[in-house]
Amino acid sequence: MATTLKLDDSDLNLGRVVAVRGSVVDIWFDENLPSINTLIHTGPDNAIAIEVLSQLDDNRIRGIALTPTQGLARGMQAQTNGGQLTVPVGKEIMGRMFDVFGNAIDHGDALPEMKRNSVHQLPPPLSKRSTKSEIFETGIKAIDVMVPLQHGGNAGLFGGAGVGKTVLLTEMIHNMVGYHQGISMFCGIGERCREGHELYHDMKKADVLKDMVMMFGQMNEPPGARFRVGHAALTMAEYFRDEEHRDVLLLVDNVFRFIQAGMEVSGLMGQMPSRLGYQPTLGTELSKFEERIANTTTGAITSIQAVYVPADDLTDPAAVHTFSHLSASITLSRKRAGEGLFPAIDLLQSSSKMATPGVIGERHYHLLQQIKQTLAQYEELKDIIAMLGLEQLSVKDRATVNRARRLERFFTQPFFTTEQFSGLKGKGVKLEDALNGCERILNDEFKDLPESAFYMIGTIEEAIEKAKKEQKKEENNTDADKKETAKV
């Protein structure tokens, strides 16, 4: 529910509702027409919140409801103090879960009176932005080695339904506390209530909730509310960056639903749709949101955004527009997920603008190129292997295939957040250890070890241990078989 206005009548600008069409409401004001983005309250107990989206003439505004409009009728009084949608900011919001209005929805203690900031903020000017390019370590081998993230940059997590976007995001929240003493801000746009509930309890169990703020706009909420959740979460993140001078990790799940909410709002407002039914203002709306995420001289907001790709089509306008704002794009592959290679990151499709010798260093850059070359050659050889078998390849090609298959398995990793499902203890791997492992695989140090030894491990030393255990197990099984045969 929206927060009810508690002001003297002298502070209020009064109007009346003249039309209600679902979430779209027209309101008449005799004078002082409210400006765009003004918040208006109306309905029984002033519980219905409406945001002004356009001024139709000298006396009428058209707004979109941020709450359900049941019970709203023509002729009802509407009132506004000229303010915009605001959310509370301050240290007291840590460890709490909020809705788009800044109301706590975690059944915790009541929040004290706090400073509130408007959700409509301008991006930081270029003069205040930091010019340094730094790597943001995540503890996930496939990301740190193949798709290095930028400190204060935007990374996109692209994938269809069910390939592991949310799992990867929750793992990053867990790792942030260990690697960066910053704050995690989780923003769920159009989330299922089950996902929000599970995430809250998982974070509580992992003891990272105290370093987090969560904001949710659920799937069943009106499009106006879902469209503003991202801006509300960003406003809270900006407070920690600009006022507390701390680094913030902003996780958005998911940007496609932000675009989808904008599309619904645009359709309700009667705007002519653009390509594939998207809103004509898609580029502008996304830019207003993405440009606020930045690395400034006081702190940084690093953003990792899940982007649902409709029908796995990367040419969809939602995916294309989002791509242009990103410093790194992590593409998740359904094929890899089907093979059980988790995280299911497509190592050849994913890319990062940080992957240059000047930023990540010569050694990392050359290793990255070698790995990509090896994996690309393996991809080309797959058809030949399928038709003729591995034996028909040259010795050189066979060595390439062996290296590529070991690298693919080395990039799998057990997650802390999936321990209860997989039964495998989670692992976080430092970048240096991950690079050493890749280098040693490329140098054919482990060509005699079985491929299975590299699957779901942390550092390369664990592969050696795993291979020894597997060998011992095989020897024991062989001895047992011999004894059985002898008895017969």
Side-chain angles (χ1 to χ4, degrees):
M1 286 294 264
T3 313
T4 309
L5 280 175
K6 292 172 186 170
L7 296 162
D8 299 332
D9 287 347
S10 55
D11 296 328
L12 297 173
N13 182 10
L14 301 175
R16 69 177 187 280
V17 176
V18 289
V20 183
R21 289 181 297 280
S23 290
V24 179
V25 182
D26 291 359
I27 301 173
W28 177 282
F29 287 87
D30 293 323
E31 53 190 36
N32 300 334
L33 197 67
S35 56
I36 305 291
N37 294 335
T38 300
L39 196 66
I40 299 172
H41 285 72
T42 183
D45 302 324
N46 286 330
I48 296 170
I50 291 157
E51 191 174 60
V52 179
L53 286 194
S54 67
Q55 296 172 329
L56 300 177
D57 51 39
D58 292 349
N59 295 99
R60 285 186 308 150
I61 63 93
R62 179 163 288 169
I64 191 89
L66 305 183
T67 51
T69 53
Q70 282 95 332
L72 188 61
R74 285 192 303 171
M76 279 188 172
Q77 190 185 71
Q79 55 188 47
T80 177
N81 64 345
Q84 298 179 338
L85 178 64
T86 60
V87 287
V89 292
K91 288 177 182 171
E92 294 84 359
I93 67 172
M94 296 295 290
R96 304 300 298 270
M97 189 196 271
F98 297 92
D99 65 7
V100 69
F101 298 101
N103 301 324
I105 53 172
D106 54 6
H107 304 295
D109 300 333
L111 286 167
E113 280 295 314
M114 293 168 72
K115 180 185 171 188
R116 294 180 76 93
N117 286 351
S118 165
V119 302
H120 302 282
Q121 302 286 342
L122 291 172
L126 284 173
S127 56
K128 285 190 177 171
R129 292 180 183 234
S130 172
T131 51
K132 275 196 303 184
S133 286
E134 293 174 41
I135 294 301
F136 189 81
E137 243 186 89
T138 62
I140 297 166
K141 289 179 289 191
I143 293 174
D144 290 343
V145 174
M146 301 301 288
V147 202
L149 304 184
Q150 182 185 7
H151 190 64
N154 297 9
L157 200 53
F158 291 83
V163 290
K165 293 185 300 297
T166 307
V167 171
L168 203 50
L169 285 187
T170 49
E171 182 67 7
M172 284 185 188
I173 295 171
H174 183 279
N175 290 3
M176 273 329 108
V177 181
Y179 283 80
H180 307 267
Q181 302 310 308
I183 290 164
S184 291
M185 175 91 218
F186 185 90
C187 172
I189 304 175
E191 285 283 89
R192 301 166 185 87
C193 62
R194 170 189 61 77
E195 290 172 335
H197 188 264
E198 281 175 11
L199 185 68
Y200 180 79
H201 288 289
D202 287 348
M203 294 300 107
K204 205 170 185 177
K205 211 181 282 178
D207 198 32
V208 293
L209 194 63
K210 61 182 183 299
D211 298 296
M212 271 186 85
V213 184
M214 299 170 93
M215 179 166 278
F216 283 93
Q218 285 170 228
M219 258 182 180
N220 61 324
E221 289 182 27
R226 281 183 274 125
F227 187 55
R228 286 290 173 236
V229 167
H231 299 107
L234 254 175
T235 304
M236 289 178 170
E238 282 167 341
Y239 166 81
F240 288 111
R241 179 191 67 191
D242 302 335
E243 308 279 325
E244 303 258 331
H245 300 180
R246 294 183 71 178
D247 287 346
V248 184
L249 175 73
L250 174 68
L251 299 126
V252 183
D253 191 9
N254 99 36
V255 169
F256 175 76
R257 295 214 185 102
F258 166 75
I259 292 168
Q260 202 175 34
M263 179 163 66
E264 288 176 50
V265 169
S266 171
L268 288 166
M269 293 296 288
Q271 291 177 347
M272 183 71 77
S274 164
R275 191 167 144 239
L276 294 182
Y278 285 102
Q279 62 270 42
T281 51
L282 168 59
T284 318
E285 287 169 3
L286 195 59
S287 300
K288 276 184 183 173
F289 176 72
E290 297 282 5
E291 288 300 305
R292 286 169 66 180
I293 300 162
N295 186 4
T296 67
T297 47
T298 55
I301 296 176
T302 304
S303 167
I304 297 166
Q305 306 165 10
V307 186
Y308 167 70
V309 181
D312 292 347
D313 176 19
L314 288 168
T315 62
D316 188 89
V320 170
H321 276 83
T322 309
F323 260 125
S324 60
H325 291 279
L326 305 173
S327 57
S329 54
I330 302 163
T331 306
L332 297 180
S333 149
R334 195 173 298 283
K335 188 167 172 284
R336 280 178 67 85
E339 289 169 7
L341 300 172
F342 291 104
I345 296 169
D346 189 323
L347 302 169
L348 292 174
Q349 286 277 345
S350 304
S351 63
S352 168
K353 288 175 183 165
M354 293 290 97
T356 60
V359 179
I360 60 175
E362 292 282 344
R363 178 186 175 228
H364 187 171
Y365 178 74
H366 289 305
L367 269 174
L368 176 54
Q369 296 309 314
Q370 266 183 280
I371 294 165
K372 284 204 165 178
Q373 198 179 347
T374 306
L375 293 172
Q377 284 172 343
Y378 174 46
E379 206 61 40
E380 284 170 18
L381 293 167
K382 274 182 178 175
D383 289 343
I384 300 170
I385 296 165
M387 286 187 292
L388 304 173
L390 196 61
E391 294 74 29
Q392 299 301 315
L393 296 179
S394 66
V395 176
K396 190 184 171 189
D397 283 347
R398 228 176 297 169
T400 302
V401 170
N402 287 337
R403 281 195 287 269
R405 287 180 67 85
R406 279 161 176 73
L407 280 169
E408 276 188 338
R409 278 148 188 77
F410 180 61
F411 282 127
T412 62
Q413 190 170 339
F415 282 175
F416 292 100
T417 48
T418 57
E419 280 179 12
Q420 60 199 33
F421 311 113
S422 65
L424 297 169
K425 195 175 184 305
K427 303 274 165 62
V429 182
K430 287 198 165 68
L431 176 60
E432 191 55 37
D433 294 335
L435 290 174
N436 285 341
C438 295
E439 195 169 37
R440 291 174 73 182
I441 291 169
L442 288 167
N443 291 339
D444 282 339
E445 271 190 48
F446 306 110
K447 60 181 181 185
D448 299 325
L449 290 191
E451 286 173 12
S452 57
F454 297 87
Y455 182 67
M456 284 293 169
I457 56 164
T459 58
I460 199 72
E461 282 71 27
E462 290 176 37
I464 303 163
E465 285 297 311
K466 198 173 174 184
K468 281 179 186 170
K469 281 179 187 170
E470 281 182 16
Q471 197 178 351
K472 209 171 183 182
K473 205 175 180 182
E474 267 180 44
E475 283 169 6
N476 290 341
N477 288 344
T478 311
D479 290 345
D481 289 345
K482 278 178 185 173
K483 281 175 187 174
E484 282 294 319
T485 313
K487 277 181 190 174
V488 172

